[in-house]
Amino acid sequence: IKDSSVFSVSSEFGAVSASSSPPRLDPLLIEEAQVRLPWEEQIENDNNEVACLSEEISCGQQWYQTRQLLTRLWVLSRDMSNGSWEAYAVAANNGEDRMLSCAPQLLRLPPDDIERSAKTVLSVLKLPPALLRREPLLLTVPPELLVTGFEKLLSGERERGKTQEGIDEEARLNVLEACKDTPGLLLEAATQD
């Protein structure tokens, strides 16, 4: 997948994004999407079954729905009114390729589950969409684990600043900055026992 686009050669991102039909996906990416993540093994959730068949993934309908919701949340690029369509299409395709290369499970996980995770990161934890673009595996982590991981980080920060007044707000700001600046910090906190 390193040298090829997520989409089959005959599919241009611009045409796919402007069309109402789902994209055709790279067979190697579909195979990688079948791999269960460690936190999926720990959680008994009927919605996250790996039984999603490769034919269901390859038709692209589920990713099409996920892509639409991630675009609405500004996690994936939107069409920009200024600039050329070609430049936008290349940038958007690169972002999407990178996201799926890092987290191919996004092809098979239910869009509603991905949306709940995205909204948890964006609305509950108050982290920027850029974090989800940089660390798309966060979209595969159940919301309760994301909140628990953030609380672990917050608890540790509170401990370090016991003697200062206003530590709760300061600790929260420090954890927010640490999550933005330290790749993998929230993911590690959320997925470790």
Side-chain angles (χ1 to χ4, degrees), residues 24 45 60-61 68 70 85 113 119 130 134 143 160 162 166:
R24 283 177 286 165
N45 183 345
Q61 185 62 43
Q68 286 182 321
L70 293 175
W85 172 253
D113 290 357
K119 286 183 174 179
R134 189 178 72 218
R160 280 189 284 282
K162 282 191 228 187

Side-chain angles (χ1 to χ4, degrees), residues 153-183:
L153 295 171
L154 191 56
S155 175
E157 185 63 25
R158 284 182 183 135
E159 282 296 312
R160 280 189 284 282
K162 282 191 228 187
T163 59
Q164 300 173 2
E165 287 187 31
I167 191 63
D168 279 345
E169 186 56 29
E170 186 179 332
R172 182 168 179 71
L173 291 173
N174 288 343
V175 171
L176 286 172
E177 286 304 312
C179 288
K180 288 189 255 183
D181 296 340
T182 311

Side-chain angles (χ1 to χ4, degrees), residues 90-151:
V90 168
N93 193 25
N94 289 341
E96 198 168 327
D97 280 353
R98 186 188 173 289
M99 181 173 278
L100 288 174
S101 293
C102 292
Q105 292 77 10
L106 292 171
L107 292 174
R108 72 167 162 80
L109 293 174
D112 290 344
D113 290 357
I114 294 168
E115 182 176 28
R116 279 191 293 279
S117 295
K119 286 183 174 179
T120 297
V121 169
L122 301 172
S123 302
V124 176
L125 303 181
K126 308 282 190 220
L127 289 159
L131 179 67
L132 294 173
R133 285 190 288 275
R134 189 178 72 218
E135 298 183 47
L137 271 174
L138 290 171
L139 294 166
T140 68
V141 179
E144 56 277 1
L145 290 180
L146 291 167
V147 171
T148 300
F150 190 83
E151 289 297 326

